[in-house]
Amino acid sequence: KQEVTQIPAALSVPEGENLVLNCSFTDSAIYNLQWFRQDPGKGLTSLLLIQSSQREQTSGRLNASLDKSSGRSTLYIAASQPGDSATYLCAALKAAGNKLTFGGGTRVLVKP
Amino acid sequence: SAVISQKPSRDICQRGTSLTIQCQVDSQVTMMFWYRQQPGQSLTLIATANQGSEATYESGFVIDKFPISRPNLTFSTLTVSNMSPEDSSIYLCSVGQGGDIQYFGAGTRLSVL
């Protein structure tokens, strides 16, 4: 059974600092790994998706890496802004059309 | 990408009543998923809804408590039955596109008194 863990559970940084969010998973046989953002009381917004054959994906200030052999993915957010304050969730997909297994999330606060 | 509309966005309900949540997608999709997010927790899958067949429920969730309908390829409903305060959560539907990326609705925030 896949288990996904995100550490730390909460993170507070001053504006401008780079953010590093960690995600680990126990079963390396994944189809892809997806990073989401969730604002308080809201739904999920997909940020980046990394296919199992890929090592990283980039979108603007966001970069996500994937190391299947070690069961880890890292989300980097460069030059953080107060608007980046949210909860970030990673989720592993076992197979196409299958369910996502979510980590517990990292709650990020970027202080002006 | 898929655009998902969920209704209602929030509701406050009395213990013992039922609430039906609607999920509408702007394109035809084979699989729709219903998740629950309890306060301060991550998402847990309730069931997978395929058009034309019975929903598949995850361990700990049963059809009598969470009946699901999937009448066509763009619509699904989840009912939370005989509610108790423990059912207070955000309920989210999602769809898979191309078999891999998943998109989520804005969620339904349910409070049970």
Side-chain angles (χ1 to χ4, degrees), chain A residues 1-32:
Chain A
K1 179 187 172 186
Q2 178 75 276
E3 291 182 5
V4 180
T5 305
Q6 290 184 251
I7 296 173
L11 187 59
S12 179
V13 299
E15 182 177 2
E17 196 165 293
N18 296 333
L19 283 163
V20 180
L21 307 178
N22 298 305
C23 172
S24 61
F25 46 94
T26 56
D27 185 352
S28 62
I30 61 171
Y31 187 78
N32 65 40

Side-chain angles (χ1 to χ4, degrees), chain B residues 49-109:
Chain B
N50 294 330
Q51 194 269 336
S53 63
E54 292 286 329
T56 302
Y57 289 82
E58 296 296 303
S59 175
F61 298 96
V62 295
I63 188 171
D64 289 346
K65 176 67 176 177
F66 297 101
I68 288 172
S69 77
R70 183 80 201 275
N72 56 53
L73 291 174
T74 63
F75 188 78
S76 178
T77 67
L78 169 76
T79 298
V80 186
S81 304
N82 188 25
M83 289 184 284
S84 66
E86 292 70 35
D87 294 319
S88 298
S89 298
I90 298 176
Y91 292 85
L92 300 109
C93 72
S94 77
V95 302
Q97 284 231 315
D100 51 19
I101 193 165
Q102 287 197 10
Y103 297 95
F104 282 78
T108 296
R109 181 170 242 179

